[in-house]
């Protein structure tokens, strides 16, 4: 595992014409550029948010989030806005292109039928994030899971799902894991409670494979696996959450908090973000260092190995 992470330098803002099409990037980038374009159209006409919001049947806060790229706009709202602004043909075509990219979503064509909207947003944000920090006290975070570990978790939550659906969900999770590799300058930090290492997901063999995968991931320059020991003098948060940070010019930090059932909460208000940043800082102050973390993972592998030998189960 590499040394403890330092926050990467953020890029300088880039200039550009209004409604310029992004050359690269996914739906989150398109939403940010589209929001900026819509804001420029409003400012050029010397209108306030309160002047415009009623024309799309929206609140001022909703329109503000749309312009900041923090929420994906509906096609109806965008069409109403560009009609209200009297947008010309060229800019209208560029806006439509951006809207198509926002609406598509990551993996939409292949996985749209099994990806709820609330989770599609998380995948899109992960793809665009410059930093991703995860806290988990129950299972390994999705992007760090092995195929068989992911299958065991998905099958446990979907007893009646056909095998084909389970496999597609597993493959989507494997595709999501590419965020660890597709952008070398993205920093990924996973803070795991020690109990995650010992909880038997699937079988001892699956757990050994997963823990060895964590060891391998820790060798990547941009990935940091840190373990909160049982003996740490801190009460761990009961819920899993993630902080996603973006490059200069992108949206502010987004906090993703998993709910007790289906669904999740996205937080972006400064005081909300600060609360979860403080939680992460507190946890970072109590996690084991690299050497101790490796020892904890190695010990857990040994424990699961003992279970495997004791039961004779090779699954």
């Amino acid at each position: 595992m590499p040394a403890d992470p330092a926050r990467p330098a953020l890029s300088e803002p880039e200039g550009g014409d209004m409604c310029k099409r992004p050359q690269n990037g996914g739906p989150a980038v398109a939403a940010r550029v589209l929001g900026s374009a819509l804001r420029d159209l409003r400012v050029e006409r010397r209108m306030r948010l309160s002047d415009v919001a009623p024309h799309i049947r929206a609140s001022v806060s909703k329109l503000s989030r749309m312009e900041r790229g923090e929420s994906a706009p509906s096609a109806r709202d965008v069409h109403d806005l560009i009609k209200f602004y009297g947008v010309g043909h060229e800019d209208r075509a560029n806006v439509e292109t951006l809207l198509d990219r926002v609406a598509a979503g990551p993996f939409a064509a292949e996985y749209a039928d099994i990806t709820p909207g609330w989770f599609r947003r998380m995948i899109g944000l992960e793809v665009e994030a410059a930093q991703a920090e995860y806290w988990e006290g129950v299972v390994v975070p999705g992007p760090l899971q092995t195929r068989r570990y992911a299958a065991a978790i998905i099958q446990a939550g979907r007893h009646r799902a056909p095998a084909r659906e389970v496999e597609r969900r597993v493959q989507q999770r494997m595709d999501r894991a590419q965020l660890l590799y597709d952008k070398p300058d993205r920093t990924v930090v996973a803070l795991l409670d020690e109990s995650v290492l010992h909880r038997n997901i699937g079988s001892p063999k699956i757990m050994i494979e997963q823990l060895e995968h964590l060891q391998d991931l820790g060798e990547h320059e941009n990935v940091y696996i840190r373990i909160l020991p049982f003996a740490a003098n801190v009460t761990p948060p009961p819920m899993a959450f993630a902080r996603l940070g973006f490059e200069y010019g992108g949206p502010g930090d987004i906090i993703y908090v998993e709910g007790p059932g289906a669904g999740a909460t996205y937080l972006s208000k400064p005081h909300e973000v600060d609360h979860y940043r403080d939680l992460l800082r507190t946890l970072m102050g109590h996690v084991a260092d690299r050497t101790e973390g490796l020892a904890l993972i190695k010990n857990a592998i040994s424990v699961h190995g003992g279970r495997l030998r004791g039961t004779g189960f090779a699954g």
Side-chain angles (χ1 to χ4, degrees):
M1 297 182 189
D4 285 337
R7 191 170 297 276
L10 302 183
S11 61
E12 294 298 320
E14 296 181 0
D17 296 334
M18 189 272 291
C19 290
K20 181 180 180 181
R21 302 185 191 188
Q23 298 302 310
N24 296 292
V29 167
R32 187 167 70 243
V33 176
L34 176 57
S36 178
L38 295 174
R39 182 178 62 248
D40 289 345
L41 289 168
R42 175 178 60 79
V43 171
E44 283 179 359
R45 288 154 179 76
R46 299 183 179 180
M47 294 180 177
R48 297 171 298 182
L49 290 167
S50 58
D51 297 327
V52 177
H55 291 274
I56 61 169
R57 305 154 302 280
S59 64
V60 168
S61 61
K62 175 183 175 180
L63 181 58
S64 178
R65 290 194 302 273
M66 187 189 305
E67 290 186 350
R68 295 196 303 270
E70 293 180 359
S71 63
S74 69
R76 178 186 179 186
D77 287 346
V78 173
H79 291 151
D80 286 348
L81 280 174
I82 58 179
K83 180 179 179 180
F84 177 63
Y85 292 144
V87 174
H89 176 75
E90 183 176 352
D91 282 341
R92 179 183 292 268
N94 288 341
V95 168
E96 291 287 354
T97 296
L98 290 168
L99 184 59
D100 288 344
R101 295 179 70 171
V102 172
F107 318 123
E110 188 173 356
Y111 301 118
D113 59 321
I114 60 170
T115 310
W118 61 266
F119 187 60
R120 192 177 301 129
R121 182 184 179 193
M122 175 60 172
I123 296 174
L125 290 168
E126 281 180 330
V127 167
E128 305 304 333
Q131 305 103 25
E133 297 176 317
Y134 302 90
W135 158 254
E136 257 292 359
V138 179
V139 297
V140 172
L144 283 71
Q145 293 176 5
T146 63
R147 179 176 291 275
R148 294 210 302 164
Y149 185 94
I153 292 174
I154 291 169
Q155 287 171 337
R158 297 180 176 275
H159 297 289
R160 300 184 180 182
R164 173 58 181 159
E165 179 186 333
V166 171
E167 175 55 30
R168 290 179 66 221
R169 291 181 182 278
V170 171
Q171 186 56 51
Q172 183 186 37
R173 193 161 298 183
M174 297 301 98
D175 290 346
R176 181 183 168 207
Q178 291 303 307
L179 76 92
L180 298 175
Y181 313 106
D182 68 354
K183 195 173 180 181
D185 58 349
R186 176 187 288 117
T187 301
V188 178
V189 180
L191 308 181
L192 309 179
D193 191 83
E194 187 178 353
S195 61
V196 173
L197 309 182
H198 291 276
R199 183 167 285 104
N200 190 31
I201 302 295
S203 72
K205 189 172 182 179
I206 289 174
M207 285 304 304
I208 292 171
E209 180 182 75
Q210 176 64 68
L211 296 177
E212 290 176 342
H213 182 57
L214 290 181
Q215 290 178 320
D216 293 341
L217 287 175
E219 297 301 324
H220 288 259
E221 291 292 333
N222 63 322
V223 181
Y224 305 85
I225 312 295
R226 295 293 179 265
I227 311 301
L228 182 70
F230 289 131
N233 188 25
V234 64
T235 301
M239 67 295 181
F241 66 92
R243 182 196 73 84
L244 302 173
F246 303 86
E247 293 183 348
Y248 190 92
D253 284 6
I254 302 292
I255 303 297
Y256 167 87
V257 185
E258 292 189 354
T265 301
Y266 293 86
L267 306 172
S268 60
K269 294 180 180 179
H271 73 277
E272 296 170 331
V273 172
D274 287 345
H275 170 71
Y276 283 91
R277 275 182 180 157
D278 289 343
L279 282 179
L280 287 167
R281 289 193 191 102
T282 298
L283 291 168
M284 281 296 291
H286 290 82
V287 296
D289 63 23
R290 176 182 181 276
T291 301
E292 293 169 341
L294 283 171
L296 290 171
I297 294 175
K298 185 176 180 180
N299 176 66
I301 290 174
S302 177
V303 170
H304 288 292
R307 292 171 179 165
L308 184 60
R309 290 188 296 273
T311 61
F313 181 69

